[in-house]
Amino acid sequence: MLIVSMILSLCHVVAGEIALSFDDAPTQGNSFMSGMDKTRGIIEGLKSNNVKDAIFFVTTGNIVDDKGKERIEAYTQAGFHLANHSHNHLSANKVDVKKYLADFNQSHLVLQDYKNVLKLHRFPYLHYGSTTDVRKKLEKHLNGMGYKFGYVTVDNFDWYINGRLLSAHHSKKVIDFNKLRQLYVETIWQSIHFYEQLAKSHIGKPVKHILLLHENELAALFIGDLVSHIRSQGWKIISPIEAYKDEALNVYTPEFSFNKQGRVAAIAHQKKGIAKTKLRHESENAKFLDKKLEENGIFK
Ligand SMILES: [Zn+2]
């Protein structure tokens, strides 16, 4: 692996490019890790690996006290960017347009108190609205406020593994952190590879990816390991600002009906008619991950 990455760096060949994004900040602390430790862990993991920029999609309703505020400010002080992930994490597929947009407006106002905010909105659950008409109305309002969509290209189930970690902690199981790290890094890397192959097949070229992660305990523990692994494969970590400029991906229209696996999958479905079942990596599945956790004896 080392030799491969050395050859790639000597030839200045970049195997792929990806920006990092973290959703739901600031997520609640718990007996496993306080909220502030989570933030510190993520910042330390990124800075010590020389990641210059990343984007945190803030769910502003999660900012319940001064500590929450401090955590969000810590990300901007470290040079990272913020963007909008709603106030109450509503699903645009489940609530009406008026309610969704009132919630969006509220988060827009809260974020005005912070620095380094990019006018990008990421739909919770990647739910863009269940009909073309709804998606049109949402787009019109968001664009009217100067926002673009904070799309992702690489989906994964980091949130599910994280949930299993927290429940293992609560039930006082022994946690094999080395194996947990391996599972986290491997499954996310496989998802990156999967969506890169989809881009090559259905968009016809590599794209500037945006990895969906969550501001969770796993990221606080292992983001540095994930960054090292991505780079060891010859990939470059790029800024979200640069990633969001990729013209091949900025082709969304409200006719796009399948958005919850990310933008590459959305394009493959909409423009090439690829079946939804082919646009999801096998690790985006609770049973698959339960089996991996079991086989590797990660929680005992
Ligand atoms: Zn979310």
Side-chain angles (χ1 to χ4, degrees), residues 42-291:
I42 292 171
I43 292 175
E44 167 63 20
L46 292 172
K47 296 302 260 186
S48 63
N49 283 281
N50 203 23
V51 174
K52 301 248 178 341
D53 200 1
I55 187 164
F56 291 80
F57 283 87
V58 182
T59 304
T60 51
N62 289 352
I63 306 171
V64 292
D65 54 19
D66 285 349
K67 276 192 177 160
K69 212 167 175 234
E70 269 173 49
R71 285 171 61 192
I72 297 305
E73 284 166 353
Y75 291 123
T76 61
Q77 280 157 12
F80 303 129
H81 283 91
L82 307 177
N84 184 306
H85 191 43
S86 83
H87 190 70
N88 285 310
H89 210 268
L90 303 178
S91 159
N93 290 3
K94 292 182 181 158
V95 301
D96 63 37
V97 170
K98 207 175 152 197
K99 188 169 179 185
Y100 189 84
L101 291 177
D103 184 77
F104 163 79
N105 288 345
Q106 196 176 350
S107 57
H108 165 75
L109 289 176
V110 174
L111 281 173
Q112 288 188 328
D113 291 343
Y114 296 87
K115 291 177 183 159
N116 289 11
V117 181
L118 299 179
K119 279 197 157 186
L120 294 167
H121 177 64
R122 177 168 291 168
F123 289 103
Y125 316 102
L126 306 181
H127 287 172
Y128 280 56
S130 53
T131 65
T132 305
D133 183 52
V134 167
R135 292 189 292 272
K136 260 185 199 160
K137 287 176 178 153
L138 295 175
E139 184 185 51
K140 192 176 172 214
H141 182 87
L142 291 170
N143 288 353
M145 301 267 291
Y147 279 78
K148 289 183 171 177
F149 295 134
Y151 63 80
V152 314
T153 67
V154 179
D155 192 25
N156 65 83
F157 263 38
D158 70 326
W159 55 272
Y160 183 78
I161 305 174
N162 201 73
R164 287 289 317 268
L165 166 64
L166 293 183
S167 70
H169 169 74
H170 289 307
S171 47
K172 303 200 184 328
K173 293 198 171 167
V174 177
I175 298 160
D176 187 328
F177 284 97
N178 274 326
K179 287 182 177 166
L180 181 62
R181 174 193 295 116
Q182 273 172 24
L183 182 73
Y184 178 73
V185 170
E186 268 170 26
T187 52
I188 291 173
W189 171 250
Q190 284 163 3
S191 295
I192 294 170
H193 183 69
F194 175 77
Y195 287 101
E196 171 75 342
Q197 291 309 312
L198 282 186
K200 284 180 179 164
S201 302
H202 305 303
I203 297 177
K205 58 175 184 176
V207 297
K208 293 184 194 298
H209 285 279
I210 293 157
L211 174 61
L212 168 59
L213 295 169
H214 289 84
E215 196 233 24
N216 60 19
E217 288 73 10
L218 284 173
L221 291 168
F222 305 135
I223 190 63
D225 301 285
L226 180 62
V227 165
S228 299
H229 186 77
I230 291 170
R231 286 185 177 142
S232 77
Q233 303 298 308
W235 280 55
K236 193 178 166 193
I237 307 288
I238 58 172
S239 83
I241 294 173
E242 187 188 345
Y244 278 115
K245 285 180 187 159
D246 193 325
E247 285 178 13
L249 297 175
N250 280 293
V251 294
Y252 168 86
T253 69
E255 278 71 36
F256 274 50
S257 60
F258 178 66
N259 297 294
K260 70 187 178 70
Q261 299 309 125
R263 185 57 59 84
V264 171
I267 294 170
H269 182 70
Q270 199 68 26
K271 307 256 182 197
K272 298 286 177 76
I274 307 301
K276 294 175 188 176
T277 49
K278 297 212 165 105
L279 297 171
R280 183 184 177 106
H281 187 253
E282 62 180 351
S283 67
E284 295 177 63
N285 178 291
K287 272 190 190 149
F288 176 93
L289 291 168
D290 286 341
K291 195 162 165 255

